[in-house]
Amino acid sequence: MAAPMEKIMSKLGWIKTVEMHTGGEPLRIIQSGYPKIDGDTILAKRRFARDNLDHLRKLVMLEPRGHYDMYGAILVSPDLPGADIGVLFTHNDGYSTMCGHGTIALGRYAIDYGHVKATEPETEVNIQCPCGLVKAFVQVTGGRTGQTRFHSVPAFAFATDLDVDVVGHGKVTVDIGYGGAFYAFVSAERFGLDVRKSRTRDIVDAATAVSNAVKEQVKLRHPDDDDLAFLYGTIITDGNDEWSDEPTANICVFGLAQVDRSPTGSGVTARIALQYHKKLITLNQKRTFESGACGSRFTGSPVRDTTCGEFSAVVVEVCGHGHYTGEATFIAEDDDQLKNGFLVK
């Protein structure tokens, strides 16, 4: 006799996932059950998912199956030569163009689930993200995958020492950097906060106010595609940007005031690009970045000069470790009034 859940699943569709986290930030990887995502390019696929399948993003990201700060990855067919897998990144408010913690986790996943053959001591996994091709390098020891480092797309300083008028705070000076996504950066000290000790709610409020101001007052642009030219979030830092062998901490607030538990891989990329632009760090100089939310750490370093259109840019290496937390199967019963998900703000 079939179990009750098997009977239900035989009548309804389902979505199967693999659950991971990197530095405390979750990654829900869609294994099966998603419809085909059309598009000749990965950015076209991102638009298609946003315009036609957003109810499914809400179903797996939001409550009651997810939560306010859930993060996800949808595997898609890559269109770039040499890419092993393609991916769309999802969160509480839509679709990102890059995710560092997700890339670190997907490096392990791609090997463990047969997308890439393992070679020791390190296996290269080429991941096409919406921002471009990101190369991940996964440690493999005795057949077990482990720590992962990735090389970013060209990262650059978009603007430095830029004044914006922030509601409730007056004129605030920010830097804007690109690391696969655009972020505004500002020191917690400007708001009388401490990224390691202050209430997360207070940091979220300050970061959200900055994001709103930048979105209203600054026109972003990216040389490759207009779909990349939007502010993803604001990163509040401890202000320690000059290189040191001591960790520097930050908290990223993105999407709909979503808090990254990890040090934020694409944020570390953008922050290093800004530091490199300001000559605060040199090529191959490694820095440790700490999450103000939970204390987890990534390392990062600028590894190669490059360009991105008219911008002087740098390829950044970021290193961390993704971990598995389980697998799941999700369904939506027709008579469930909350089947499409909801957020409690």
Side-chain angles (χ1 to χ4, degrees):
M1 179 180 293
M5 185 56 65
E6 291 177 352
K7 290 181 179 179
I8 294 172
M9 289 172 58
S10 68
K11 298 178 181 180
L12 301 173
W14 65 85
I15 293 176
K16 291 183 177 293
T17 67
V18 172
E19 307 289 310
M20 299 186 73
H21 83 91
T22 306
E25 180 71 358
L27 187 70
R28 174 163 287 168
I29 304 168
I30 307 300
Q31 271 276 85
S32 60
Y34 234 75
K36 183 177 182 293
I37 298 177
D38 293 330
D40 293 333
T41 68
I42 198 160
L43 285 173
K45 288 181 172 72
R46 179 175 175 268
R47 291 191 295 270
F48 182 89
R50 179 194 65 200
D51 296 342
N52 299 278
L53 302 174
D54 205 45
H55 62 289
L56 294 178
R57 174 191 65 82
K58 294 176 181 178
L59 187 146
V60 294
M61 289 292 98
L62 309 186
E63 295 188 48
R65 299 167 194 86
H67 55 80
Y68 197 93
D69 298 301
M70 179 54 75
Y71 206 94
I74 308 167
L75 298 186
V76 297
S77 299
D79 59 85
L80 285 180
D84 297 306
I85 58 173
V87 61
L88 302 180
F89 295 115
T90 67
H91 51 82
N92 71 3
D93 194 39
Y95 304 81
S96 175
T97 54
M98 174 56 191
C99 174
H101 92 273
T103 297
I104 290 168
L106 285 169
R108 287 193 70 192
Y109 170 89
I111 298 169
D112 294 336
Y113 282 80
H115 295 278
V116 177
K117 183 179 179 180
T119 57
E120 298 192 24
E122 190 173 68
T123 302
E124 181 176 323
V125 179
N126 295 315
I127 303 173
Q128 185 182 9
C129 304
C131 63
L133 188 66
V134 177
K135 291 182 176 294
F137 305 89
V138 184
Q139 288 184 0
V140 183
T141 305
R144 178 177 170 81
T145 55
Q147 183 173 267
T148 301
R149 60 190 177 93
F150 70 81
H151 284 180
S152 72
V153 296
F156 56 87
F158 179 82
T160 58
D161 300 320
L162 180 68
D163 289 336
V164 291
D165 293 317
V166 178
V167 173
H169 300 283
K171 197 174 294 296
V172 175
T173 301
V174 304
D175 293 335
I176 300 175
Y178 178 81
F182 282 101
Y183 296 94
F185 292 83
V186 61
S187 172
E189 185 179 18
R190 171 60 182 79
F191 306 102
L193 300 173
D194 184 312
V195 291
R196 289 185 175 96
K197 298 177 180 179
S198 295
R199 292 194 318 159
T200 302
R201 180 72 260 165
D202 294 335
I203 291 173
V204 169
D205 289 345
T208 301
V210 171
S211 288
N212 290 340
V214 172
K215 289 175 182 178
E216 292 173 359
Q217 299 167 40
V218 181
K219 181 173 176 57
L220 299 176
R221 68 183 188 282
H222 192 283
D224 292 345
D225 198 293
D226 288 343
D227 276 5
L228 302 174
F230 66 95
L231 188 78
Y232 187 38
T234 290
I235 297 180
I236 306 295
T237 79
D238 61 8
N240 297 325
D241 284 321
E242 187 165 1
W243 185 87
S244 167
D245 56 7
E246 293 296 319
T248 178
N250 52 238
I251 291 182
C252 175
V253 181
F254 66 97
L256 193 63
Q258 185 165 340
V259 178
D260 193 338
R261 272 66 170 164
S262 81
T264 309
S266 56
V268 166
T269 302
R271 194 173 172 199
I272 287 178
L274 286 162
Q275 292 170 352
Y276 187 65
H277 174 78
K278 295 181 176 183
K279 304 187 186 307
L280 300 175
I281 192 170
T282 61
L283 282 181
N284 299 309
Q285 201 168 31
K286 186 178 291 188
R287 188 84 192 269
T288 299
F289 294 81
E290 181 179 293
S291 165
C294 70
S296 61
R297 293 180 176 183
F298 292 164
T299 60
S301 59
V303 295
R304 188 174 73 252
D305 287 315
T306 186
T307 58
C308 186
E310 72 271 26
F311 295 99
S312 296
V314 64
V315 172
V316 175
E317 180 177 288
V318 177
C319 183
H321 198 306
H323 292 276
Y324 293 100
T325 58
E327 295 182 340
T329 301
F330 296 104
I331 63 170
E333 294 188 282
D334 292 337
D335 60 349
D336 182 355
Q337 295 183 353
L338 300 176
K339 65 182 178 181
N340 293 323
F342 63 92
L343 284 177
V344 176
K345 299 180 182 178

